[in-house]
Amino acid sequence: MQPLQIKSSFSSLLLQSSSVSACAILPNGTVVQASTLLLQYTGFTSLQGLHLSKFIITADWAVITEHIYNCEQGGVQQGIFFCQTAQGKSKTQVEFIFDDSSGHIICLFKPMASIAIADFNTRIGAVAKQMAFPVVLTNAALEIEWCNEAFEKFYEITLEEILYQHIFKVWGSGITVQKRERLKQAVQHKKQVDISFDFTTHKNLTHNLLISLVPYADTAKGIEGFYIRQVDQTKHKQNQQILEESLERLNLILGTAKMGVWDIQLKTDTITFDATTKKLFGHTGDSFTTTIAEWQRLILPEDYEQIQRQIQEAVTTTGEFHAIFRVRINNEIHYLEGHATIVKNSAGLAKTILGICWDITDTVLSKEKIELQNQLLQSVQEAVQVFDKNGNLVYQNKFAEDLYGYNLQQANVPFLMLHESKYTIDEVADIQNCLQTLQPWSGEREVITSQGNLFPAFIGCSPLTDEVQGYKGFVAVSFDVSMQKNAQESLVKSLHRLSNTVENLPVGAVLIHNGKFEVNNYVEQITGFSRNEIQTVEQWFVAAYRENASSVKALYMGDREKGFPASRIVPLTRKNGDTRWVQFSGFLDADVEIWVLQDVTEQKVAELQITSQNERLKQIAHLQSHEVRRPLSNIMGLLHLFDENLLDLSEPQNRQLLLKSGIELDEVITKIVYKTRNL
């Protein structure tokens, strides 16, 4: 480079320029004057009087001293140093130029980022700057010298931030040790290499990147390095995965549906069938035919003529083929259904027939069974309707047509004939959702006839399914419940009157119907429990009979099964613990049950007292007739012997016998007196 001589006037203009980062220094490195742009670049408000070491960071100041000395001897000196800038430490090129008119050294500061951009434009061209994909240029050590805007945008950094940093620092831990070694080997041997790895951005988004590292060299300038192009293949990977999953689902669907795939090459008259198709034609492995002529022999002749005609029409006009035909497998006839599309070449000529086929033997053979089922449905004395999965009526028996007034030819038949003004779309959707999840549904709904008449109907729906398609629709069985409804309303009114009657009875009464347990005021008085405390049969037995609940309930169930043939008197325990005797009488009619409860405690007590008195009288009679007789007979016998002078009462033993009999007689009389006291 030729020495640059700067005149005093030009030096002054240079330092005053707003587009040049420069300063004038003394030979000892002290700043005399600095341009505005240099102040902005370094972040200082003033550099005058400062030493260069304040903003040029170097471990060897002798290098700068040597540049200053050589500059004074004539010529331009330059070097690359780290400078303290407003944005932090930055690599900067510094040129030292001697001004002989002032004796000052002019220092020109050029950020390496701008130098790299200019140098890159001369080496690679400005076109790379506009590339949509990220591009980075490194030196031979993989240190970044330049990158385009796409690279900065993807990594959310600027060239100045990463200038002369190693590319691995930008990629971080996303690139594995093995792939780093591959890159190092390529750098060492100056060979092109492609690698891919996952990179996670600051926004926590993971991208799959394909990196192409290409060596370049400019021998004239002594420059060599690497051109690195980056392609984000995340979407490609995702699309590839979606395609693979779609193919897997398609194969799964076809396999599940037992559908075979086949194609015919019209130019060579060759045919290719998959394993399912081979099985449909009764063959396995490689034993299947590969020519149309051989395939023809597997189809019944009368059906093949029709297939041949339909294929010709598809090739020349329609572009599609559909047929039902028969094949013979192990001396059995099977029905197959096929559908195909014609594929044409760029000239518009038919090239290939792509199709699928499946076995419909069961469907065809079940036709008679379906007809028999239709006859059976027509004989049912209830409305039977069949709806498809979209809720459209596809079948109904004569009873349904008469009940609702619709026939299959009439369009816009309401779903389940529900009255649209009374049921919302959501309510109808709830019924459909229930059926679509293969759950039966039933309920009473108000429906409408074709004439607009409303009536209540009970509707029961069952989903229709098959192994291949899953949910196909549902069967609905319905009947008019208006008469039952009227009867039910009458029953409700009757029950209401009966409930009032039970409430006003002058004795305890209980009404049981539809799971309800109603007691009147007298039952509350008898038991001491409020009606809120006894609301079920079970609560009644537990509350009224406590530890005896099971045995008393067993008696009740036995009497109920016999229709309550007689009343029972059973003691119950009041809420306060007192015992009351209650006479229970039951009446049963259909699903209505009535109990009549009468408190007979006083009568029961009197009855028990009479029973007790009778028992005492029996005991008294026994004493009088048996126990009195024995001592009395002894006394009378001793007296008789005394009268006959056969007994000497002066004898002690004779007197003792008479005394003992008297004592026994007295004891018996005492017992009789005691038992008569409580009569």
Side-chain angles (χ1 to χ4, degrees):
M1 181 176 292
Q2 297 297 322
L4 177 63
Q5 299 295 326
I6 302 178
K7 300 296 181 181
S8 177
S9 59
F10 180 76
S11 171
S12 180
L13 290 173
L14 181 67
L15 294 174
Q16 293 175 6
S17 172
S18 61
S19 60
V20 176
S21 292
C23 69
I25 64 172
L26 297 175
N28 63 0
T30 302
V31 178
V32 177
Q33 186 178 359
S35 69
T36 303
L37 191 59
L38 181 61
L39 293 176
Q40 295 174 356
Y41 180 64
T42 59
F44 285 92
T45 57
S46 174
L47 291 174
Q48 190 172 359
L50 293 180
H51 195 271
L52 279 181
S53 60
K54 293 295 184 180
F55 55 93
I56 295 181
I57 304 169
T58 178
D60 189 0
W61 184 252
V63 175
I64 295 181
T65 303
E66 184 178 356
H67 284 316
I68 295 174
Y69 175 78
N70 292 334
C71 174
E72 289 180 311
Q73 302 305 313
V76 177
Q77 299 292 311
Q78 66 177 22
I80 297 176
F81 307 95
F82 280 104
C83 290
Q84 183 64 45
T85 70
Q87 285 75 34
K89 188 170 68 172
S90 178
K91 194 174 266 189
T92 308
Q93 177 180 290
V94 182
E95 292 186 4
F96 299 88
I97 305 170
F98 180 67
D99 180 7
D100 58 350
S101 61
S102 63
H104 296 159
I105 294 95
I106 305 300
C107 300
L108 296 177
F109 295 82
K110 296 180 181 180
M112 290 301 294
S114 60
I115 296 173
I117 293 174
D119 187 55
F120 179 80
N121 288 336
T122 60
R123 281 187 275 172
I124 304 299
V127 176
K129 183 179 179 181
Q130 306 300 326
M131 290 180 178
F133 50 82
V135 174
V136 63
L137 188 69
T138 73
N139 58 23
L142 289 184
E143 295 174 334
I144 298 172
E145 292 186 336
W146 184 90
C147 67
N148 65 356
E149 292 180 0
F151 190 91
E152 292 178 320
K153 183 177 181 181
F154 181 83
Y155 290 100
E156 298 180 358
I157 52 179
T158 63
L159 174 59
E160 187 170 340
E161 292 173 331
I162 60 173
L163 192 63
Y164 293 106
Q165 288 186 11
H166 200 284
I167 188 64
F168 286 173
K169 187 174 182 180
V170 176
W171 290 335
S173 60
I175 182 168
T176 63
V177 175
Q178 293 83 356
K179 292 180 179 180
R180 287 173 185 249
E181 288 301 320
R182 283 186 59 197
L183 281 172
K184 290 178 181 179
Q185 290 293 326
V187 170
Q188 182 179 353
H189 297 92
K190 297 180 175 58
K191 291 184 177 181
Q192 180 174 342
V193 66
D194 294 333
I195 63 168
S196 63
F197 62 92
D198 290 335
F199 177 80
T200 303
T201 66
H202 298 303
K203 297 178 181 178
N204 206 27
L205 299 176
T206 301
H207 297 261
N208 184 263
L209 305 180
L210 175 63
I211 302 299
S212 296
L213 184 142
V214 181
Y216 72 89
D218 187 341
T219 55
K221 295 184 178 181
I223 297 172
E224 63 177 15
F226 293 93
Y227 167 82
I228 302 176
R229 184 186 68 175
Q230 172 182 304
V231 176
D232 188 347
Q233 54 182 5
T234 306
K235 290 185 179 179
H236 172 73
K237 289 279 188 181
Q238 292 173 347
N239 292 337
Q240 185 178 9
Q241 183 178 359
I242 292 172
L243 178 60
E244 291 175 355
E245 291 175 353
S246 298
L247 289 175
E248 289 179 2
R249 285 196 296 269
L250 176 61
N251 291 331
L252 178 62
I253 291 170
L254 291 175
T256 304
K258 298 180 180 179
M259 289 184 173
V261 181
W262 54 273
D263 69 77
I264 299 175
Q265 300 297 326
L266 296 176
K267 186 176 181 180
T268 59
D269 276 349
T270 56
I271 190 166
T272 304
F273 287 3
D274 68 353
T276 303
T277 306
K278 293 177 182 180
K279 189 175 180 180
L280 291 173
F281 280 88
H283 293 265
T284 57
D286 298 329
S287 63
F288 195 71
T289 179
T290 58
T291 66
I292 294 179
E294 294 174 355
W295 173 51
Q296 176 183 351
R297 286 194 290 270
L298 299 175
I299 303 174
L300 296 187
E302 55 270 31
D303 290 350
Y304 186 76
E305 292 178 3
Q306 176 190 357
I307 292 175
Q308 197 173 30
R309 183 171 60 254
Q310 290 177 322
I311 289 177
Q312 186 61 32
E313 291 177 357
V315 170
T316 56
T317 55
T318 62
E320 291 187 353
F321 159 80
H322 178 266
I324 296 176
F325 53 92
R326 294 166 292 172
V327 296
R328 189 181 298 277
I329 303 175
N330 298 328
N331 295 323
E332 292 184 358
I333 300 298
H334 285 250
Y335 290 81
L336 302 182
E337 184 171 353
H339 185 84
T341 300
I342 308 301
V343 179
K344 298 181 180 181
N345 58 20
S346 58
L349 300 177
K351 178 179 67 172
T352 307
I353 303 177
L354 296 178
I356 59 174
C357 61
W358 58 96
D359 194 322
I360 60 170
T361 304
D362 292 340
T363 303
V364 174
L365 295 181
S366 64
K367 184 177 180 180
E368 293 182 359
K369 183 178 179 180
I370 294 175
E371 291 178 353
L372 180 62
Q373 291 174 343
N374 287 339
Q375 294 176 4
L376 179 63
L377 292 175
Q378 291 294 345
S379 65
V380 175
Q381 295 301 305
E382 292 176 350
V384 179
Q385 298 166 306
V386 179
F387 294 84
D388 64 16
K389 62 183 179 181
N390 297 317
N392 300 316
L393 181 65
V394 296
Y395 172 83
Q396 65 179 358
N397 63 0
K398 185 67 167 58
F399 196 89
E401 186 173 334
D402 294 340
L403 181 63
Y404 294 107
Y406 292 98
N407 56 51
L408 287 178
Q409 286 70 38
Q410 291 177 298
N412 299 322
V413 175
F415 171 73
L416 287 180
M417 315 310 174
L418 295 181
H419 186 218
E420 296 176 352
S421 64
K422 290 182 175 289
Y423 304 99
T424 65
I425 295 176
D426 290 339
E427 289 178 299
V428 176
D430 288 341
I431 299 175
Q432 288 180 306
N433 291 336
C434 179
L435 295 169
Q436 287 170 358
T437 56
L438 308 184
Q439 300 295 323
W441 175 89
S442 61
E444 186 178 307
R445 293 290 187 271
E446 193 167 56
V447 297
I448 187 170
T449 67
S450 60
Q451 293 79 27
N453 299 323
L454 298 175
F455 66 91
F458 180 84
I459 305 171
C461 300
S462 298
L464 292 174
T465 61
D466 63 22
E467 295 180 356
V468 177
Q469 299 180 5
Y471 176 70
K472 295 182 63 177
F474 63 94
V475 176
V477 179
S478 57
F479 54 88
D480 187 349
V481 295
S482 55
M483 295 183 63
Q484 294 94 319
K485 196 79 172 177
N486 294 335
Q488 186 178 11
E489 291 176 357
S490 299
L491 178 61
V492 171
K493 293 179 181 178
S494 299
L495 288 173
H496 182 68
R497 289 194 293 269
L498 185 59
S499 179
N500 290 335
T501 301
V502 167
E503 181 64 37
N504 295 315
L505 284 176
V507 294
V510 178
L511 175 62
I512 305 172
H513 66 94
N514 295 332
K516 295 182 179 180
F517 190 88
E518 301 178 9
V519 304
N520 65 2
N521 290 329
Y522 285 97
V523 173
E524 292 180 314
Q525 295 175 13
I526 292 171
T527 64
F529 292 99
S530 69
R531 62 188 68 199
N532 292 331
E533 295 176 289
I534 308 174
Q535 296 186 350
T536 65
V537 173
E538 193 65 32
Q539 289 178 352
W540 164 263
F541 284 105
V542 172
Y545 302 104
R546 302 188 184 183
E547 64 273 8
N548 299 320
S550 299
S551 58
V552 177
K553 185 178 180 181
L555 291 174
Y556 158 76
M557 295 301 295
D559 289 347
R560 191 178 189 278
E561 289 181 1
K562 299 174 184 178
F564 299 113
S567 61
R568 284 184 182 274
I569 297 177
V570 182
L572 61 76
T573 304
R574 286 173 50 83
K575 187 175 182 179
N576 61 7
D578 294 344
T579 299
R580 305 294 294 178
W581 290 86
V582 177
Q583 181 175 343
F584 173 92
S585 300
F587 304 92
L588 185 63
D589 182 16
D591 59 346
V592 177
E593 185 176 338
I594 298 176
W595 299 351
V596 175
L597 308 175
Q598 290 182 291
D599 189 344
V600 294
T601 303
E602 286 73 14
Q603 298 94 312
K604 189 65 177 178
V605 170
E607 180 182 333
L608 292 175
Q609 289 176 349
I610 292 172
T611 301
S612 177
Q613 290 174 354
N614 289 338
E615 185 62 28
R616 291 191 183 96
L617 289 173
K618 288 180 181 179
Q619 293 174 357
I620 292 171
H622 177 78
L623 291 172
Q624 290 175 342
S625 60
H626 294 87
E627 296 189 27
V628 170
R629 183 177 297 174
R630 182 171 57 81
L632 184 60
S633 297
N634 291 337
I635 293 172
M636 292 177 65
L638 291 173
L639 292 174
H640 177 72
L641 292 174
F642 178 75
D643 290 339
E644 296 291 334
N645 296 319
L646 298 176
L647 179 68
D648 185 1
L649 292 177
S650 62
E651 294 290 333
Q653 63 271 22
N654 293 334
R655 290 197 303 273
Q656 188 67 31
L657 286 174
L658 183 62
L659 178 61
K660 181 180 179 181
S661 297
I663 292 172
E664 289 180 356
L665 179 62
D666 181 66
E667 289 177 352
V668 172
I669 292 172
T670 301
K671 288 181 181 179
I672 294 173
V673 172
Y674 175 76
K675 289 185 178 293
T676 56
R677 286 179 181 176
N678 295 324
L679 291 178

